[in-house]
Amino acid sequence: MRKKISESIQAKTFISMVALLAVCCVFIYATVMIFLPKNYHARLENQASSDFCGLVELLEKSGWEENSEKLLKFSMKNNASLTIRSEKGEEIFSVNYADMEDVRASSETAASMSYVSSFWQDGKSFEIFAVVSLTEVSQSQDILLKLIPFIAAIILAISVTGALICSRYYSRPLIHICQVAKRMSSLDLTWKCEVKRKDEIGVLSESLNTMSRQLGNALESLKTANERLRQDIEREREQEKQRIDFFTAVSHELKTPVTIMKGELEGMICQVGEYRNRDRYLRHCLKTVNEMEKTVKEILMAARMGGSDFRLRTEDLDISSMLEKSCRKIKGRLEDRQMELFLSIDPDFHYQGDGRLLEKVFSNVVGNAAEYSPCGAGIRVSLKEGMFSVENTGVHLAEEDLKKIFMPFYRVDKSRSRNSGGSGLGLYIVSVILEHHGIYYGMENTEKGVRFTADFRSNKKR
């Protein structure tokens, strides 16, 4: 029980208010019991003394016969017995409006007052005696004592009712605020204090609501920042993985031709077997060096565009004329392989971009279509309303190849023979250039072959 009371502000407030109100009421009633009879006694005594002195003065002036009514009124007003005696001690007048038993009881308890005085009338001396009963004072004390049980019940009822009202008025909003604060401590910010008051409790409630809103905003900002940080970390990990894969692929691509050249040169130096024909193998080494030079340039271009400090040099470009120029460059190769080229290019289509890089995109895409199509196939190059596409017929790619076709050093030919393809950087460089320009691109199989598309109207990354 004590533990429950100690943990409940409403119970503690109720008990404290009951005790406080009860003590206050008891103190007030005790004060009334002490001072009310005393004040009443003093008032009665002053009144009786004043009236008795006034009565003696009247008797001195006009005698007791003419003031008999005054004597009667004095007795009635002051609850007193009044007696007049002659100088011989004979009782000549007497009036009593006080119960003599009460007077005798009052005399025993000193709850009465006696007055005696003398006056002259017709040359004779008379004495007047008055006994004023103060039983009303004792009766008021008795009434107050008898009312103690009733007053105690009233005090208890008032104390409990007042304490209940006060405890509910002050503790209920605090309990509600405490419940909201507990929910806030568990980061549940969906609750709100509905305490509408203008005092300190209302200020506390509004402050808690303000803190809840600010904390909610801070948590949302923190969640957004954490999500952004997570994405940045994932991006950094992906970039790190791409860098590792890139350098691994670079080392593999350069290791093979270097090994070949080293073996051929050692054979020529030692004049071993067929390597005695130096002219033939020197020309082969030169061809290998040229291929390595081309691969190194592509690697440097890909590495430079992958850097964080790379910036495009944008200018107004006539995409239509650039695409036609790239197609003219491969016409000789197409004729040698008996391939047909179909052009459908809108004239005067302009775009803000880097001319050198976009020219590389066109030459790589169109060149790849010519390189990987069988003899006699057709190549369709189209530029319609900003949509660029190249479709080569007679060949299809597996879904796995379509997903990886833009990865660096990836070649569809699993043997990775240079006789069946280039370095594997062509389409990777195309993807990097288009992503820097914010151009959507993709590769898909069609009914007749494979089609590459790039939307120059878009501003999205693949």
Side-chain angles (χ1 to χ4, degrees), residues 446-462:
T446 63
E447 183 179 351
K448 297 181 179 181
V450 179
R451 179 169 57 201
F452 171 86
T453 57
D455 189 358
F456 281 82
R457 301 165 303 175
S458 67
N459 190 25
K460 301 177 182 178
K461 291 187 178 182
R462 182 175 181 271

Side-chain angles (χ1 to χ4, degrees), residues 329-339 363 366-368 370-371:
K329 290 182 179 180
I330 66 166
K331 277 188 176 181
R333 195 191 319 173
L334 296 177
E335 291 174 356
D336 293 340
R337 303 185 61 190
Q338 299 178 351
M339 300 173 67
S363 62
V366 178
N368 274 10
E371 184 71 26

Side-chain angles (χ1 to χ4, degrees), residues 102-285:
D102 292 340
V103 171
R104 286 192 293 272
S106 301
S107 300
E108 293 175 0
T109 59
S112 63
M113 294 180 295
S114 299
Y115 299 93
V116 61
S117 182
S118 61
F119 65 91
W120 292 86
Q121 179 180 346
D122 298 332
K124 296 179 180 180
S125 175
F126 297 89
E127 288 186 346
I128 180 171
F129 298 92
V131 178
V132 177
S133 175
L134 298 179
T135 57
E136 293 180 359
V137 177
S138 300
Q139 290 174 353
S140 66
Q141 288 180 329
D142 294 338
I143 292 173
L144 290 175
L145 290 174
K146 291 178 181 179
L147 287 176
I148 286 180
F150 180 70
I151 296 298
I154 294 177
I155 290 174
L156 182 61
I158 293 175
S159 300
V160 172
T161 304
L164 183 62
I165 294 173
C166 290
S167 64
R168 289 173 64 87
Y169 180 76
Y170 288 109
S171 61
R172 174 173 286 184
L174 292 177
I175 293 173
H176 180 66
I177 292 173
C178 181
Q179 292 173 348
V180 174
K182 286 182 178 179
R183 295 188 179 99
M184 288 180 60
S185 65
S186 60
L187 299 182
D188 182 5
L189 304 178
T190 59
W191 297 85
K192 182 180 180 181
C193 287
E194 300 295 341
V195 179
K196 303 297 182 181
R197 296 171 58 161
K198 296 183 179 180
D199 55 7
E200 287 79 0
I201 296 178
V203 173
L204 176 62
S205 172
E206 186 60 30
S207 300
L208 198 63
N209 290 334
T210 302
M211 184 176 67
S212 175
R213 289 193 298 269
Q214 293 177 349
L215 184 58
N217 295 334
L219 287 177
E220 288 298 325
S221 300
L222 186 59
K223 288 181 181 179
T224 303
N226 286 340
E227 180 63 23
R228 191 180 299 114
L229 180 60
R230 187 189 65 80
Q231 293 176 357
D232 291 341
I233 292 175
E234 291 295 331
R235 191 181 301 111
E236 184 66 25
R237 288 176 179 173
E238 183 65 24
Q239 290 176 353
E240 182 65 23
K241 182 178 179 299
Q242 290 177 359
R243 281 194 291 268
I244 294 174
D245 294 341
F246 184 81
F247 286 116
T248 302
V250 167
S251 64
H252 182 272
E253 289 293 325
L254 296 180
K255 180 180 179 181
T256 301
V258 169
T259 303
I260 293 173
M261 286 180 56
K262 181 180 178 182
E264 290 179 348
L265 290 173
E266 287 179 348
M268 286 185 289
I269 291 172
C270 296
Q271 296 184 357
V272 177
E274 61 183 1
Y275 291 104
R276 292 177 181 178
N277 189 355
R278 295 187 178 184
D279 293 338
R280 175 187 173 187
Y281 284 99
L282 283 174
R283 285 192 294 271
H284 187 269
C285 286

Side-chain angles (χ1 to χ4, degrees), residues 302-404:
R304 183 169 60 87
M305 287 189 298
S308 59
D309 58 343
F310 177 77
R311 296 292 182 271
L312 296 174
R313 294 184 295 180
T314 59
E315 57 182 332
D316 184 66
L317 303 174
D318 187 348
I319 300 297
S320 302
S321 62
M322 290 176 60
L323 184 55
E324 290 175 353
K325 181 180 178 182
S326 298
C327 292
R328 285 196 298 269
K329 290 182 179 180
I330 66 166
K331 277 188 176 181
R333 195 191 319 173
L334 296 177
E335 291 174 356
D336 293 340
R337 303 185 61 190
Q338 299 178 351
M339 300 173 67
E340 292 187 65
L341 178 64
F342 303 95
L343 299 180
S344 180
I345 301 175
D346 290 342
D348 297 327
F349 178 78
H350 289 257
Y351 181 81
Q352 293 288 330
D354 193 316
R356 298 177 299 106
L357 299 181
L358 291 179
E359 186 175 353
K360 185 71 174 176
V361 169
F362 297 143
S363 62
N364 280 6
V365 173
V366 178
N368 274 10
E371 184 71 26
Y372 296 103
S373 298
C375 294
I379 298 177
R380 298 182 180 276
V381 179
S382 172
L383 180 63
K384 293 292 184 181
E385 297 181 354
M387 179 65 72
F388 166 61
S389 66
V390 177
E391 182 180 5
N392 54 318
T393 61
V395 64
H396 287 89
L397 297 177
E399 289 298 323
E400 181 181 357
D401 293 331
L402 286 175
K403 294 178 181 179
K404 299 179 180 180

Side-chain angles (χ1 to χ4, degrees), residues 410-428:
Y410 182 81
R411 289 200 290 268
V412 176
D413 181 16
K414 301 303 184 292
S415 66
R416 303 182 66 87
S417 173
R418 289 187 176 275
N419 295 326
S420 61
S423 65
L425 285 173
L427 289 181
Y428 171 70

